[in-house]
Every structure is written in C-alpha cells, then in structure tokens.
Amino acid sequence: QLQFVESGGGLVEPGKSLRLSCTAHGFAMEIYDIGWFRQAPGKEREAVSCVSYESAHTNYADSVKGRFTISRDDDKKTMYLQTDNLETEDTAVYYCAADLGPRCKDRVLSVGDSLRYWGQGTQVTVSS
C-alpha cells in the first residue's frame, strides 16, 4: 500500500523520551512536505509538527515546542520525531502523512490540508 508505517511508540513515564519513526512505502517521500499528527482519546486529530521539502523549514504546535524535534532522512525514506520531556497530555496515537502542497513554510500542517499516505499510527502512552 502507498502509506507511511509508524513505529517507536510505547509506554513511558512523564519526563522520559521516545524516538518515533515513520517509513514511506511505495511513494516518493522526498518530494513532499511531511508531518506528524496525533489523536488522543476523545479528541480530534491534531497536527504536531512538519518538515518541508529538503528540510528547509520545520514547524511545531505550541504544545510541543521545545520538547519535540522533527527530522527527515530522504535516503532512508524515513521521518523521525524525537519526543523529549513527555507529558501525560502527549498520550495519543501518532500518525504520519504527506502534504500535496508546500504548506510547511510558515506553519504546521493542518488536518484540513491535502494530506495523503496516512499510516496506521503508533501508540504513545505517558503514564506514571
């Protein structure tokens, strides 16, 4: 299938870190702005971070600025999200998607953007 495959989630205590990965399957990840999204129980899916074509720009949701770091390795067809100082509020299923338009220049992506190649997600649970 043409999609991302996310991995790296798990159960951690507050203040700990996880490194999430998503690998593109069947499409040319390198030509797209791409991003991470998350959806917590009972909440709408929200954008977390994005990285643009050739890593020219990165953007973060206010809730994760200073704690999360996004990166991409186009040779490996993989995008990463380093999540540090995790909080219970970060508990969610984390997803990757690609944007058909170049929208990560000045802002984080939105669920209303033309997003494609969603993965199945990886569960991050932050609990003491």
Side-chain angles (χ1 to χ4, degrees), residues 20-72:
L20 310 182
S21 301
C22 58
T23 300
H25 293 259
F27 70 95
M29 191 193 81
E30 66 272 13
I31 72 173
Y32 294 105
D33 289 8
I34 52 179
W36 287 92
F37 300 77
R38 68 185 182 186
Q39 188 164 21
K43 289 190 171 183
E44 297 179 351
R45 188 169 299 188
E46 64 177 351
V48 176
S49 181
C50 65
V51 54
S52 69
Y53 170 70
E54 295 185 333
S55 299
H57 307 279
T58 59
N59 287 288
Y60 298 89
D62 289 342
S63 58
V64 306
K65 285 181 179 177
R67 299 189 297 117
F68 291 8
T69 304
I70 192 170
S71 61
R72 65 192 294 168

Side-chain angles (χ1 to χ4, degrees), residues 109-123:
L109 298 177
S110 167
V111 295
D113 293 330
S114 299
L115 303 173
R116 298 290 187 273
Y117 311 128
W118 292 98
Q120 296 300 303
T122 186
Q123 176 72 52

